[in-house]
Amino acid sequence: MTRHLLSSADLSRTEVLDILATAESMHDLQRREVKKVPTLRGRTVINFFFEDSTRTRSSFEIAGKWMSADTINLSAKGSSTSKGESLRDTAMTIDAMAVDALVIRHNASGACHQVAQWVRCSVINAGDGTHEHPTQALLDAYTLRSRLGDLDGKHVVIVGDLTHSRVFRSNVITLKTLGARVTVVAPPTLMPSGIAGWSATDGFATSWDLDAVLDGEDPVDAVMMLRVQRERMSGGYFPTAREYTVGYGLTRDRLDRLVARNPDVLILHPGPMNRGLEIAAEAADSARSVVLDQVSAGVAVRMAVLYHLLAGNDDAPREPAELETSTTGASAPSAPTQPEGVAR
């Protein structure tokens, strides 16, 4: 891996598979009574969130702490940015404290890329505006692979508010990297501008007709419903909530049709869910839903990302047992050095 994780496009297929393989090992920790390894002992990770978050922020915090990193949470309200300090000055101030990684969520697209040019520590994009959310795409891929196996040739449909979704953008890149066939569906008002050129270049399909996609000749292996981000909407993107649900919601009827065609179909949602709007309660809580699996995978995947960025790039990921030190008094391994040839 490179020094930062700013975009899903930063990762090759090999790098994605390496992270997912490491995440599989890290996932074993969640089944242990003592969920702790000393892998990142002596490292400091700052979670700096300018937007509200439950899943991403908590999972990054847990990931850092389970790997014994000193993990500190900051928010815009509790930082000097609330006093008028610029993002540049705040980021450089934190970096001057010799931290090892800065996990950033920001409401401005491209903010994480900009911060990476100002600091020496590793920067991880935890969601920037309507741009990208690479670790979400990784955990979604991990969840899909845990149920479907190799994603090469699998058909994944992404439905909803594409215009405002950073999850959609990162997922298209990661899923295509892993060989999946992707179809994105949204009303015309929520289709991003320029998507026709992007879809033609990267080879994914677009549609305004959800029923035509779900009932089409190409069977669907997984459906990812996206949240309608009403807080980002300043105008009327659709007439009423009811009309949106009728046209683009994963209703009970649509779920029944999906399962009838493919009993193994998976239902995903990055959360938080607007139940009754983009997804019915019957779909969110069905046996085919892997929403909570996504949450569980989030901790393992973010542990894997921190490991690959901060603990070096080994040829093969180590099992958690190999990363542990004995409880009988053995000393922890020394902090790994940065890979040679990487500019700070």
Side-chain angles (χ1 to χ4, degrees):
M1 283 182 68
T2 59
R3 183 163 183 75
H4 310 294
L5 179 54
L6 306 175
S7 166
S8 293
D10 294 340
L11 302 174
S12 66
R13 177 183 173 88
T14 298
E15 288 172 326
V16 171
L17 292 176
D18 283 347
I19 291 172
L20 298 185
T22 304
E24 187 174 355
S25 297
M26 298 300 184
H27 212 166
D28 290 338
L29 287 174
Q30 297 185 36
R31 292 182 281 270
R32 297 184 182 183
E33 184 177 352
V34 178
K35 303 175 181 67
K36 199 84 165 180
V37 291
T39 315
L40 297 183
R41 184 177 295 168
R43 299 290 192 172
T44 302
V45 178
I46 304 291
N47 296 325
F48 198 7
F49 278 55
F50 290 79
E51 288 185 325
D52 295 336
S53 171
T54 299
R55 294 157 188 78
T56 304
R57 180 169 176 166
S58 297
S59 61
F60 265 115
E61 181 180 5
I62 293 170
K65 289 182 175 179
W66 280 2
M67 299 178 77
S68 300
D70 295 313
T71 306
I72 301 168
N73 289 331
L74 298 177
S75 64
K77 292 179 182 179
S79 73
S80 294
T81 57
S82 63
K83 300 178 181 179
E85 184 175 66
S86 69
L87 176 62
R88 181 179 185 273
D89 286 337
T90 299
M92 293 181 69
T93 297
I94 294 172
D95 187 54
M97 299 177 189
V99 304
D100 297 287
L102 188 56
V103 180
I104 301 179
R105 169 166 288 188
H106 201 279
N107 54 8
S109 300
C112 299
H113 286 73
Q114 188 64 69
V115 169
Q117 298 177 36
W118 296 328
V119 301
R120 295 170 296 173
C121 64
S122 294
V123 175
I124 300 173
N125 182 356
D128 61 332
T130 59
H131 179 227
E132 278 207 54
H133 195 350
T135 59
Q136 179 69 44
L138 288 168
L139 73 87
D140 290 339
Y142 180 93
T143 303
L144 288 168
R145 281 170 55 88
S146 68
R147 295 294 191 98
L148 301 177
D150 189 355
L151 297 185
D152 191 40
K154 295 295 191 294
H155 186 197
V156 181
V157 178
I158 304 176
V159 186
D161 182 1
L162 304 184
T163 291
H164 303 104
S165 176
R166 52 199 172 208
V167 172
F168 138 71
R169 289 169 174 81
S170 287
N171 261 292
V172 166
I173 295 169
T174 299
L175 290 171
K176 293 300 298 178
T177 297
L178 294 175
R181 292 177 293 111
V182 180
T183 301
V184 299
V185 183
T189 53
L190 291 174
M191 275 285 186
S193 61
I195 195 172
W198 181 22
S199 64
T201 301
D202 285 14
F204 63 93
T206 64
S207 176
W208 297 340
D209 191 336
L210 177 58
D211 290 316
V213 172
L214 300 186
D215 298 330
E217 296 180 359
D218 190 2
V220 176
D221 295 294
V223 178
M224 180 182 299
M225 304 305 298
L226 300 175
R227 182 172 66 90
V228 175
Q229 300 188 39
R230 287 176 285 195
E231 75 278 7
R232 297 185 188 273
M233 297 180 181
S234 57
Y237 285 84
F238 45 85
T240 65
R242 175 60 182 165
E243 287 194 43
Y244 181 88
T245 301
V246 169
Y248 297 95
L250 184 56
T251 60
R252 182 173 183 175
D253 175 65
R254 288 189 173 111
L255 175 66
D256 290 342
R257 283 153 43 201
L258 274 170
V259 173
R261 295 196 65 193
N262 179 8
D264 297 323
V265 68
L266 300 180
I267 307 302
L268 298 89
H269 195 301
M273 294 184 287
N274 293 312
R275 288 173 179 257
L277 181 56
E278 73 262 3
I279 186 168
E282 293 87 349
D285 300 328
S286 75
R288 305 315 310 155
S289 172
V290 291
V291 173
L292 293 181
D293 290 14
Q294 291 173 268
V295 177
S296 177
V299 177
V301 165
R302 284 156 182 147
M303 289 177 72
V305 168
L306 290 171
Y307 170 73
H308 280 273
L309 285 175
L310 301 182
N313 296 312
D314 294 342
D315 292 335
R318 290 175 287 174
E319 296 291 329
E322 298 178 49
L323 303 177
E324 290 185 88
T325 55
S326 171
T327 58
T328 61
S331 60
S334 58
T337 58
Q338 293 296 334
E340 294 181 1
V342 177
R344 286 185 64 90

